[in-house]
DNA sequence: TTGTAGGCGTTATCAT
DNA sequence: ATGATAACGCCTACAA
């Protein structure tokens, strides 16, 4: 059986109060007592029970995390930021994967509430109504990463998706492209997808280019799905000169489809991705992307949670729906270039 | 303030004992009381406090996980298995990233002990003595993934690394390769690296091929490092006809170096990886690999922890150093082929 | 069937 | 400087 504070007290001949004092180093303890206690702690290999501690302190330094999957570097990147920041701040994280299932999201949200976690950071592929409602009624701080929806009442951290899409579209137009495809997540209520689409639309409009609806596809952030969609375009003989994918994995799916069909990237078709997961620069051709500061985003979310956890009012207001915008940038690598038809 | 069991008792006019009974569904409660209590719970939106519960129940359904990084699909794959299995078994996981730092590993191991976790599953890049000692003295079950060291006294789950390396080497030899490079992790005490090397050595020996030490490199499981190492080989004019990388990311680093220098894969050089992370089949050329059942490995580890947690003796014996061997298989894709020099 | 009361391991407030 | 002792929220004999 593990030693308790009482065992230490008995063995060192002092009261548990004194033992507690030396453990927490707060109050003043005579050098003699401290020595004895330390010795007993050492001998018994005593470790304070965090569970009991949390109970009496009425607080919990655990941050709950919900993520669709761990087999994706996008979430991995953010998680690294979350983990680093929280560990530095003395918090620890409890991780759950939802597999994108809204039912599970709600269940985990419940579990975190029951545990009185300091807060929760959630990432989803798609935002279901069920989840939105649950989040809005949570009694602990919640932060949504990189996604939003009308009606969602919690802080959000992301980049400016409108500008990012606007910039990358302009970049392509500047390189002579006019037949530009857009691979989006899915037809849903996701606000960021909508913003990206607006940016795309705006850039095109500013150059008097009409949007070709047949070139707007929904790849669901999946490599395989995007692969098939691009293959479809190829079979239809409807190959664009450039494609913007709103996630790197979709960009890779697109590239693979092109490559496998004998097209060259970027000579025949330019492809740009979104996010800049580690893989983006290691894929060949290395992907031109909109870089998102994944690690920073994770870090930022943790700081917000903690500030809400202790601040309670000062600074960030929980559930006020504000969104923190981090800066992005376009990184040009090998997968994009001049449009040959324009030459 | 959150409602407690006492609030529910007051509001429903029964004692806390009765409330506790309906919450846990164990003892018999009159239908009338149950109704009242349920109603009060509903109205107060009461959620039992898990912290208090854990304290009094003297148990914890949390499994601690230590992993070097989350930005790598290898760990991501295993973690998905861990998460699925534990969530299904009603356990949850507390995740920490060590960044490969042994000091951190020990610190987290300590933290899990203080929390009386059900057990811990640890993954490391390299096994330092410090960590080994700490693991051996842990009072809760520990399982090491995919790595071992003489003196490590805890169960391990992995594939048969000797056979895997043996098979893949034979595969290459059968395709006419004789100048085969091996990219290992690092020169350390890691037992699996040693086993892989033995398998490699054995296959070569059986075909009367001498090992060329200048073709054995240490890429530390890193893409960049492997890239540089391969570049070095190219500059020296010491290019093998095939290379075996003991991780997929190293294989990718090798391929990139080759590709960037104008070599073709697999026409000029065959490259095979280890693990089969999701990316392996999406990289171009798609990687020929030794497939490890990552998800299953995670699942298996969780089952072992849980069985130790409740079994305490029955079945798996904690810290007995046994290792569970899962089956691997060679998956042939695009990055390997016949040796042209042999034709 | 239901209620009372004694822990679980700590922290924190009193006295002393 | 130190030691009782009352919480913290819950579970569970033991009584009633």
């Amino acid at each position: 059986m593990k030693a308790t504070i009482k065992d230490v007290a008995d063995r060192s001949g002092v009261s548990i109060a004194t033992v507690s004092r030396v453990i927490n180093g707060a109050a003043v303890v005579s050098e003699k007592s401290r020595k004895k206690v330390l010795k007993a702690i050492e001998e018994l290999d005593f470790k304070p029970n965090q569970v009991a501690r949390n109970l009496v302190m009425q607080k919990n330094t655990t941050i709950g995390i919900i993520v669709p999957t761990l087999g994706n570097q996008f979430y991995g990147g953010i998680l690294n930021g979350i983990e680093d920041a929280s560990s530095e701040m003395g918090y620890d994280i409890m991780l759950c994967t939802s597999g994108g299932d809204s039912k599970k999201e709600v269940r985990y949200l419940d579990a975190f509430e029951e545990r009185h976690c300091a807060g929760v950071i959630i990432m989803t592929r798609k935002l279901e109504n069920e989840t939105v409602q649950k989040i809005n009624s949570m009694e602990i701080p919640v932060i949504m990463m990189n996604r939003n929806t009308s009606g969602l009442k919690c802080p959000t951290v992301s980049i400016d998706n409108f500008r990012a899409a606007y910039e990358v579209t302009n970049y392509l137009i500047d390189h002579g492209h006019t037949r530009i495809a857009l691979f989006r997540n899915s037809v849903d209520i996701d606000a960021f997808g909508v913003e990206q689409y607006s940016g795309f639309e705006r850039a095109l409009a500013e150059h008097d280019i009409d949007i070709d609806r047949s070139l707007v596809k929904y790849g669901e952030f999946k490599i395989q799905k995007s692969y098939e969609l691009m293959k479809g375009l190829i079979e239809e003989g409807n190959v664009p000169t450039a494609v913007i994918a709103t996630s790197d994995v979709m960009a890779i799916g697109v590239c693979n489809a092109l490559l496998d069909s004998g097209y060259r990237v970027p000579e025949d078709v330019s492809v740009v991705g979104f996010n800049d997961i580690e893989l983006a620069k290691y894929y060949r051709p290395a992907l031109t992307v909109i870089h998102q500061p994944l690690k920073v985003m994770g870090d930022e979310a943790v700081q917000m949670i903690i500030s809400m956890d202790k601040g309670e009012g000062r600074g960030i207001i929980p559930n006020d729906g504000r969104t923190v915008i981090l800066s992005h940038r376009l990184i040009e690598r090998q997968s994009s270039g001049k449009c040959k038809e324009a030459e």
Side-chain angles (χ1 to χ4, degrees), chain A residues 22-23 29 54 68 70 80 123 206 208 214 222 245 268 315 317:
Chain A
V22 353
I23 293 172
V29 180
N54 283 341
L70 292 163
N80 272 331
M123 294 164 245
E206 287 181 0
D208 294 319
S214 73
K222 289 183 186 149
D268 299 322
I317 299 142

Side-chain angles (χ1 to χ4, degrees), chain A residues 267-288:
Chain A
E267 293 81 354
D268 299 322
V269 182
S270 285
V271 178
V272 303
F274 243 83
N275 296 344
D276 195 24
I277 58 179
E278 202 191 357
L279 170 59
K281 65 168 168 291
Y282 293 122
Y283 181 81
R284 284 302 126 101
L287 260 32
T288 290

Side-chain angles (χ1 to χ4, degrees), chain A residues 18-54:
Chain A
T18 301
V19 176
S20 176
R21 287 184 185 109
V22 353
I23 293 172
N24 298 300
V28 208
V29 180
S30 74
E31 199 49 38
K32 215 174 66 185
S33 306
R34 149 169 280 107
K35 274 263 164 48
K36 287 191 295 187
V37 170
L38 254 21
K39 184 154 168 286
I41 288 181
E42 174 72 26
E43 291 170 351
L44 294 170
D45 189 29
F46 165 77
K47 304 268 171 58
N49 182 323
Q50 288 293 341
V51 179
R53 201 174 236 173
N54 283 341

Side-chain angles (χ1 to χ4, degrees), chain A residues 150-343:
Chain A
S150 67
L152 212 215
K153 291 202 188 59
C154 78
T156 290
V157 2
S158 78
I159 60 167
D160 182 338
N161 283 277
F162 172 87
R163 281 207 64 78
Y166 176 77
E167 287 171 18
V168 76
T169 308
N170 271 327
Y171 161 82
L172 255 13
I173 295 174
D174 289 346
H175 282 70
H177 298 278
T178 53
R179 301 201 60 247
I180 304 174
L182 179 69
F183 275 59
R184 301 178 59 179
N185 177 15
S186 58
V187 200
D188 61 12
I189 51 178
D190 176 359
F192 290 146
V194 172
E195 284 170 20
Q196 289 167 345
Y197 187 73
S198 304
F200 174 68
E201 214 168 16
R202 164 83 70 90
L204 253 26
E206 287 181 0
H207 289 82
D208 294 319
I209 302 174
D210 287 334
I211 279 202
D212 181 346
R213 298 261 163 208
S214 73
L215 291 180
V216 177
K217 297 290 179 185
Y218 299 90
E220 297 171 11
F221 291 156
K222 289 183 186 149
I223 204 165
Q224 191 58 32
K225 177 86 180 178
S226 309
Y227 183 90
E228 287 158 14
L229 288 171
M230 189 64 224
K231 276 286 191 185
L233 248 24
I234 293 171
E235 279 162 24
E236 294 169 14
N238 189 19
V239 181
T241 67
V243 4
I244 298 172
T246 56
S247 86
D248 293 330
V249 292
M250 290 201 285
I252 288 172
V254 168
C255 283
N256 284 351
L258 253 8
L259 263 19
D260 290 356
S261 294
Y263 287 83
R264 291 164 305 164
V265 178
E267 293 81 354
D268 299 322
V269 182
S270 285
V271 178
V272 303
F274 243 83
N275 296 344
D276 195 24
I277 58 179
E278 202 191 357
L279 170 59
K281 65 168 168 291
Y282 293 122
Y283 181 81
R284 284 302 126 101
L287 260 32
T288 290
V289 296
I290 285 291
H291 170 87
Q292 294 207 38
L294 300 181
K295 207 154 180 272
V296 177
M297 288 165 67
D299 185 288
E300 187 69 24
V302 169
Q303 304 300 350
M304 286 171 77
I305 291 282
I306 293 178
S307 121
M308 291 193 250
D309 183 39
K310 34 184 75 152
E312 281 292 272
R314 235 179 355 80
I316 296 148
I317 299 142
N319 308 330
D320 69 343
R322 65 135 64 183
T323 117
V324 171
I325 305 294
L326 266 22
S327 63
H328 62 273
R329 68 174 193 279
L330 178 68
I331 298 181
E332 190 171 9
R333 289 200 270 249
Q334 309 166 338
S335 68
S336 63
K338 280 223 164 58
C339 176
K340 65 174 179 186
E341 294 176 11
E343 281 169 1

Side-chain angles (χ1 to χ4, degrees), chain A residues 65-83 95-100 105 121-126 144-147 185 190 220-222 247 249 275-278 294-295 297-298:
Chain A
I65 315 284
I66 300 176
V67 68
T69 173
L70 292 163
N72 182 313
Q73 291 192 329
F74 176 69
Y75 301 114
I78 294 176
L79 282 170
N80 272 331
I82 290 177
E83 228 284 332
L95 184 70
C96 300
T97 59
S98 66
E105 287 167 1
I121 299 173
I122 179 170
M123 294 164 245
T124 66
R125 286 215 190 88
K126 209 171 155 173
M144 170 67 66
M145 295 297 290
N146 198 40
R147 198 156 309 292
N185 177 15
D190 176 359
E220 297 171 11
F221 291 156
K222 289 183 186 149
S247 86
V249 292
N275 296 344
D276 195 24
I277 58 179
E278 202 191 357
L294 300 181
K295 207 154 180 272
M297 288 165 67

